[in-house]
Each structure stands twice: as C-alpha cells, then as structure tokens.
Amino acid sequence: MAGQADNRAPYAKIAAHYTELIASGQLEPGSLLPSIKNLAEEWKVSTATAEKALRKLRNDGLVRGIHGIGTEVLDRPASMSSGSQRQDRGRRTGSSWGQGERSDSHQAAVVPAPAEVAQALDIPPGSEVVRRSRVYRDRHGIVAHSTSWIPARYGKLIPQLAASERLTGGTSLQLISEVTGHPISHRIDTASASLVTPEYARLLELDPDNLPTEPVVVMTAKFVDSEGNIVEFGVDLGGPGRTWGTESEVSP
C-alpha cells in the first residue's frame, strides 16, 4: 500500500525515478540524463552506484550512452506487465498501474463462463462468472487489454466487482482476500505469442482491414488462495510492439 517504506537499493531507486520521468513524458526522447558525477552528487551516492543506475536504464532499453555526449533517452513503448506483476504492484502501492500508465474502458458483467475460463477456474462450463475488463494505456497507446474472470460467488460478496467502473479500496484480489479472510497463496502464470485475430483487433482498437503481421504477447495468471480456491483468472493481451520481461536478483 502507499506509504510503505522503500527498501530498494539506492541504484534501483535512482533508476525507478528516471523510469517514471521517461514513462510519463517529463523526459522526452533525445533528452540527456545527468552525468554519473552529477547523479552521485544529487543523490548523495557513490559514482559506482550512479553508474549502476544508468546501466539498469540502458539494460531496460530506456536510454543509450553516446560517447562524448552522455546518456540519451530513447523513444520506445514500455513493456507490458503480467497479471502477477500487477498484483505485486497493487500490494505495494494500492494501484495496478505501471509507470506512466492509466486505465479506462472499465466494463463488468455477470456472464456464463466460456469453456477455457471454466477450465481455468475449475468450475462447470456455463457457470456464472464476473467478467471485468479494462484497457491500460500510456503515451504510446494501448499497453494491454486486460480481462479478469472471477467466480460469481465473490461478486455476491463484493457487489462493486460487477460494476462497470474502476475498483475502489484495492484491487479485486485485495478485496476478495479482505472479505474472505483468505490471502492469495500462489499463482500460476503463462506467456505466449499469438497472431492478431479479428477479436484481438477489436479489443486492441486496431483497424480490422490492416492487422499487424507481428504476433502480440498473451499472458494469463491464475490466482489461488490459502484454502486452495481459484479466485481469479486473468488474461492480458499486449498491444502491438509491446514486449514483456521480468527481473530477479541472482545470488553469487
């Protein structure tokens, strides 16, 4: 939640600060970042830490180093987030938005579960589920179209799940955990590539007569609570040109 202590390493805090400035457009493509020396002085860190922060930004594809000039901001769409990454972000900050993102087109309804959704939720096909969808955007356009499928019993406990508006008081998973008293214990993620179908084109607001030839990223996430109940199945459809990546610490 907002207000929690930031325990990230100093280099990560610096990199996150400039990532947000780049994603939000406050640092435009072609802008130069401060030098290593200036970064070190401004953030009161060593030059090695400042250099590590710039290296992370380069590795993330946000900037490039130009010999004799400095570190330049690149213009490229940010990568998309998986459902699990959005869950982690929501737990830390209270919002599933990525840096520079916003969401709109929030829609919700109680519908019969399609076969693949019923299988993922381990319920009979045609059972009632809450379908929630939204579109994540940044300054480059659509980051992802996201759909959450939730068993209808949770919609009865939390009426706002079935309302076509942005949730208040937390993410769907946080609200379900609070009402049931059962925290999310684990999740199962998949990632694949798919050619753009007419249905994908509709969801991504693309011209059906001029579909991209490159595949898009499709990610799913299944969330299970401490009692073994599958509480949500999410599908994120990445916009054209969006990639997905993850980062983890490697012990020496």
Side-chain angles (χ1 to χ4, degrees), residues 221-243:
K222 185 160 59 174
F223 298 92
V224 185
D225 71 11
S226 57
E227 298 296 301
N229 301 303
I230 303 170
V231 302
E232 185 172 314
F233 175 61
V235 181
D236 286 288
L237 175 63
R242 301 288 177 166
T243 58

Side-chain angles (χ1 to χ4, degrees), residues 183-220:
I184 303 301
S185 62
H186 66 281
R187 61 208 183 194
I188 303 166
D189 300 302
T190 71
S192 60
S194 174
L195 293 176
V196 178
T197 64
E199 174 61 11
Y200 285 176
R202 182 184 69 81
L203 295 176
L204 295 173
E205 302 173 10
L206 300 173
D207 180 357
D209 297 323
N210 188 27
L211 297 181
T213 57
E214 294 295 318
V216 293
V217 178
V218 181
M219 308 195 70
T220 71

Side-chain angles (χ1 to χ4, degrees), residues 61-84:
L62 298 176
V63 301
R64 65 171 179 169
I66 305 176
H67 183 68
I69 296 178
T71 302
E72 179 188 50
V73 175
L74 295 174
D75 186 20
R76 62 186 296 271
S79 60
M80 62 183 288
S81 300
S82 67
S84 297

